[in-house]
Amino acid sequence: MANNEASPFESSDMLATFVASTPLLAESWRLCNHANTSPAAHRSFVAERIGRVAYVALSGVQMVGGCWYETWRNMVALDRMDDVAVFSCIREGEEPVMVHAGILNLFNSLLHSFKTQMLEILENKDTKSVVITGHSIGGATASLCTLWLLSYLRSITSCVSVLCITYGSPLLGNNSFSTAICRERWSGNFCHVVSKHDIMPRLLFAPITPLTSQLNFLLQFWQLSMTSPDFGKLAVQITDKEKAELFTAVMDYSEAATQGDEEGESQGEASATILFRPFGNYLFVSEFGAVCMDSPAAITKMMHLMLATGSPDCSIEDHLKYGDYVDKVSWQFLTQGNSSMQRSIPESSYEAGLELAIQSSGLANQESLIIPAMECLKATRRMGPSPVLNAAALAVSLSKVAPFRAQIEWYKALCDEQDEQAGYYDSFKSRSCKKSMKVNINRFKLARFWNDVIEMMEKNELPHDFDKRAKWVNASHSYKLLVEPLDIAEYYRKGLHRTNGHYMENGNRARRYEMFDRWWKDRTRRDGATEENSERSTFASLTQDSCFWAKVEEARDWLDSVRSESDTNKLALLWDKIEKFEVYANQLIEQKEVSKDVLAKNSSYSIWVGDLRELKQLREKLKVFPHQLTSILDGEVVP
């Protein structure tokens, strides 16, 4: 496929049909409805197991007291959830990831019980998948619960699959939030079902400060109606004028959001007020079918176009009709779609797909909206090579950078045989070998190649299972073991640790290495293997901990601190760190998990071992003759 060739298929209708063909929508909505109507589940969740799939539904009746009343559009930063780091792909200088403050508070109030439930589900060896679902506010809370679970499963390298299905969920986070989820390759874990006219998923486009009290009444009406239609009649009703004002405000600001996306605006009054952006996949449902989209800009546009066909009254009523939509979409799949097509189907496969998507969205009878809707769908069309072809091209590129890697391997072998007996790491750090300059250039070339691979992954330009393919997992791991020691050597050669902290602190380590660590751990988990290989008879060709030399540099710093530290508490902490590293290094050596350059006579590690031995001997003498040697350690006695 040529670089500028487009995909020959329009898949939004096909993807929606596929989702409808599974029991996911029917089962998740059934449990959502149960969570909404069951008094015991209010402000909580219900769980159920169907075969090997565990379903957890968050109740949409979460805050009749009105937690949004005072925190309508407040946003807070999200970097950790409980004790779990969420995103590993945030780049320096980017806008922080922000989420709705009220929804985050709801999540935090449920986290303990939700975490307990999840751990119980994961302990069951039969669990293969977890579906987390929720309607309305419960949908947004379900999204945060899913984020926590995805982050937690990544930390323990679990193979359980996770899917979040929401119904009429409000927007949750800012553009950085949406981007971060895409970079983590978690977009496919979220499916947001949005009906044609439901105003709730579109509310947060608008800064409706003058109408917050009326909005609070509307939220109470929705939540009481979820519990029982009769209870909804007890809620304070907002006037037709207030409904119209709310509808108009959301329409205006959702249109501003689409214009900002189209023009690439980053400033200006309209775009500045659009704080929230969609993320994940959206399944738009109407009385004629469903379409599935994953582009935030296209989703925003479709949300506006579909709402434009509604009215203030139906935009409020539609929030309570998801059960009807789910039944209709499932029934249309069983009956092979809508038999009465409103428009003729073109012969071109792509144009036919567009026409089917327009009819499924319910916009086919809105002449003024058909062209904008088609442009919206066309904007999501994949241009350029397919992910499979990109992966094939990368394999060719990998073969082209192989000579750079081979030259570094040759350089390592040369360093290991040098008379100086400094080893690979220290030879590069001191640039004692004439070949070091060429190796440094190759180091940059390899880093550029692997950074490009990571960027393509984050842009979804590679197959979804790319990071699970043995070829790339093994290649990235070998690259990391070979080249990261050189990066560490360069870091300390330039003295960057004096200003930025040690290599493994404050995000100094390149993100590609952290990702490759994760790929390798996932590989060992999938293969059912442990990281400890069978017992080695010779030392490894490459030290199996690519950060070993960074840990040596830290240990050297601790030794220097011991010599000058007089505070007994701080001394105890330093000695504890030193002894733990000593045990760790000895274990690696005993298991022959290090390369022989680690044990070279003049390597940084060997020098550190010698210094540690002398300091321990001095420490033992101090215990025997404390008064006589105190002055020596204080530097008062000079030989």
Side-chain angles (χ1 to χ4, degrees):
M1 185 179 290
N3 287 340
N4 60 351
E5 186 176 348
S7 170
F9 300 105
E10 206 299 310
S11 58
S12 58
D13 182 73
M14 289 189 293
L15 288 173
T17 301
F18 170 74
V19 174
S21 70
T22 72
L24 289 170
L25 291 181
E27 293 295 348
S28 60
W29 175 254
R30 177 184 62 79
L31 206 60
C32 277
N33 191 49
H34 175 53
N36 288 342
T37 57
S38 173
H42 292 174
R43 300 184 63 84
S44 184
F45 56 85
V46 295
E48 183 177 307
R49 176 179 294 277
I50 302 177
R52 293 188 169 187
V53 181
Y55 285 82
V56 179
L58 280 295
S59 173
V61 186
Q62 294 280 355
M63 32 64 73
V64 175
C67 79
W68 275 19
Y69 185 78
E70 297 178 355
T71 59
W72 164 233
R73 278 168 61 85
N74 291 357
M75 302 186 80
V76 293
L78 179 70
D79 53 358
R80 300 186 70 85
M81 303 176 82
D82 191 26
D83 57 347
V84 178
V86 183
F87 301 113
S88 62
C89 59
I90 305 303
R91 298 173 182 174
E92 186 176 354
E94 289 185 332
E95 179 187 11
V97 171
M98 309 281 284
V99 295
H100 190 286
I103 300 298
L104 185 59
N105 288 337
L106 284 173
F107 164 77
N108 288 330
S109 69
L110 293 169
L111 178 57
H112 177 72
S113 56
F114 177 78
K115 183 177 179 180
T116 302
Q117 180 69 61
M118 280 297 105
L119 293 178
E120 180 181 331
I121 288 173
L122 295 175
E123 285 175 359
N124 189 327
K125 301 303 181 181
D126 291 334
T127 301
K128 297 301 180 184
S129 303
V130 176
V131 177
I132 303 175
T133 186
H135 176 212
S136 192
I137 304 295
T141 312
S143 293
L144 288 180
C145 289
T146 302
L147 270 183
W148 175 85
L149 183 57
L150 287 169
S151 303
Y152 175 73
L153 291 177
R154 180 177 63 190
S155 69
I156 64 172
T157 60
S158 170
C159 60
V160 173
S161 63
V162 180
L163 177 64
C164 177
I165 303 177
T166 71
Y167 296 89
S169 171
L171 296 172
L172 181 58
N174 62 355
N175 188 60
S176 291
F177 177 74
S178 176
T179 301
I181 287 178
C182 184
R183 286 178 182 168
E184 296 288 350
R185 299 172 73 81
W186 286 341
S187 294
N189 296 91
F190 295 88
C191 177
H192 305 290
V193 182
V194 172
S195 65
K196 185 177 180 181
H197 299 136
D198 184 7
I199 199 171
M200 173 60 113
R202 296 140 168 119
L203 271 177
L204 287 174
F205 283 130
I208 319 175
T209 305
L211 295 172
T212 49
S213 60
Q214 290 86 345
L215 178 63
N216 193 50
F217 293 142
L218 178 58
L219 293 175
Q220 290 184 21
F221 163 72
W222 275 333
Q223 295 188 24
L224 288 172
S225 298
M226 291 175 202
T227 304
S228 169
D230 293 333
F231 288 171
K233 299 174 183 178
L234 303 176
V236 177
Q237 303 293 319
I238 63 175
T239 65
D240 291 341
K241 179 181 178 182
E242 290 169 338
K243 292 179 184 178
E245 289 176 350
L246 185 65
F247 183 81
T248 301
V250 173
M251 278 293 300
D252 290 345
Y253 278 92
S254 63
E255 182 178 16
T258 64
Q259 292 174 350
D261 286 331
E262 291 170 357
E263 299 170 11
E265 295 179 358
S266 59
Q267 297 179 346
E269 182 178 352
S271 60
T273 55
I274 308 301
L275 302 179
F276 294 85
R277 295 287 179 179
F279 70 94
N281 295 272
Y282 271 64
L283 184 70
F284 291 101
V285 293
S286 73
E287 64 272 28
F288 297 104
V291 292
C292 188
M293 310 178 80
D294 62 0
S295 165
I299 290 168
T300 302
K301 181 74 171 179
M302 188 61 72
M303 290 174 87
H304 170 71
L305 293 175
M306 296 181 82
L307 184 63
T309 65
S311 65
D313 283 329
C314 71
S315 70
I316 293 173
E317 296 167 358
D318 229 31
H319 188 59
L320 303 173
K321 293 183 177 180
Y322 281 95
D324 296 336
Y325 283 116
V326 169
D327 290 342
K328 189 167 295 185
V329 168
S330 300
W331 174 251
Q332 286 178 348
F333 164 73
L334 292 174
T335 58
Q336 299 301 312
N338 190 351
S339 58
S340 57
M341 295 297 180
Q342 298 175 347
R343 292 158 56 92
S344 60
I345 302 299
E347 294 183 3
S348 163
S349 59
Y350 179 73
E351 295 296 332
L354 280 178
E355 192 61 46
L356 288 171
I358 292 296
Q359 295 190 19
S360 295
S361 68
L363 299 177
N365 59 353
Q366 303 288 329
E367 291 296 332
S368 62
L369 299 179
I370 290 176
I371 293 178
M374 283 197 170
E375 291 175 350
C376 174
L377 291 167
K378 288 178 181 179
T380 65
R381 189 180 190 183
R382 192 198 75 242
M383 303 299 293
S386 69
V388 173
L389 290 180
N390 281 334
L394 266 185
V396 176
S397 299
L398 179 63
S399 66
K400 291 180 179 179
V401 300
F404 305 144
R405 171 190 163 85
Q407 289 174 19
I408 296 178
E409 290 174 338
W410 175 81
Y411 170 81
K412 181 182 184 302
L414 181 66
C415 291
D416 290 346
E417 301 301 326
Q418 281 186 331
D419 294 337
E420 291 86 350
Q421 298 184 53
Y424 177 51
Y425 173 80
D426 288 280
S427 294
F428 185 78
K429 183 180 177 183
S430 63
R431 297 293 200 272
S432 61
C433 178
K434 295 180 180 179
K435 302 292 183 180
S436 299
M437 186 62 68
K438 179 65 175 177
V439 166
N440 199 38
I441 294 173
N442 290 343
R443 181 174 68 90
F444 281 112
K445 289 178 178 178
L446 288 172
R448 183 165 58 247
F449 169 79
W450 285 107
N451 284 339
D452 289 344
V453 171
I454 298 300
E455 184 176 0
M456 291 179 71
M457 276 192 60
E458 292 177 345
K459 291 181 177 179
N460 291 319
E461 294 175 356
L462 295 173
H464 191 71
D465 66 342
F466 180 84
D467 56 343
K468 298 177 179 61
R469 296 183 177 183
K471 175 186 180 70
W472 292 100
V473 173
N474 293 331
S476 62
H477 184 65
S478 298
Y479 158 75
K480 181 191 67 169
L481 296 183
L482 178 68
V483 179
E484 188 167 17
L486 302 183
D487 288 5
I488 296 169
E490 185 71 3
Y491 185 84
Y492 284 95
R493 189 183 77 87
K494 291 182 175 180
L496 296 177
H497 61 291
R498 298 189 185 96
T499 54
N500 301 338
H502 283 290
Y503 178 80
M504 298 184 69
E505 298 174 352
N506 307 320
N508 293 320
R509 190 187 186 205
R511 191 164 57 89
R512 62 181 177 275
Y513 296 130
E514 295 176 350
M515 294 190 70
F516 297 157
D517 278 345
R518 194 187 314 157
W519 293 7
W520 187 253
K521 289 178 181 177
D522 288 347
R523 170 254 182 196
T524 58
R525 178 257 303 165
R526 287 192 306 272
D527 294 347
T530 61
E531 293 193 13
E532 292 80 24
N533 297 323
S534 56
E535 186 175 344
R536 296 177 182 269
S537 58
T538 59
F539 285 108
S541 59
L542 296 168
T543 299
Q544 297 303 291
D545 179 358
S546 62
C547 290
F548 177 79
W549 291 109
K551 296 171 184 176
V552 170
E553 295 286 359
E554 283 195 67
R556 294 177 67 184
D557 195 32
W558 296 334
L559 274 188
D560 291 339
S561 298
V562 164
R563 294 187 180 100
S564 59
E565 185 60 63
S566 58
D567 186 299
T568 55
N569 291 328
K570 292 181 179 178
L571 271 174
L573 290 175
L574 286 169
W575 276 111
D576 182 61
K577 291 179 180 179
I578 289 169
E579 289 168 358
K580 285 181 178 177
F581 173 71
E582 183 184 23
V583 170
Y584 171 72
N586 286 336
Q587 286 177 343
L588 286 183
I589 294 169
E590 289 172 6
Q591 296 168 1
K592 293 185 169 54
E593 294 288 308
V594 298
S595 173
K596 65 179 182 178
D597 68 305
V598 170
L599 301 177
K601 181 179 178 181
N602 296 315
S603 73
S604 293
Y605 175 72
S606 295
I607 293 173
W608 178 83
V609 170
D611 291 345
L612 176 62
R613 186 184 304 113
E614 292 178 4
L615 202 56
K616 281 185 174 182
Q617 291 172 353
L618 193 58
R619 188 187 186 195
E620 291 301 319
K621 291 179 181 178
L622 180 61
K623 293 178 181 179
V624 179
F625 306 106
H627 300 295
Q628 292 87 335
L629 293 178
T630 299
S631 58
I632 296 178
L633 292 180
D634 289 340
E636 297 177 6
V637 177
V638 180

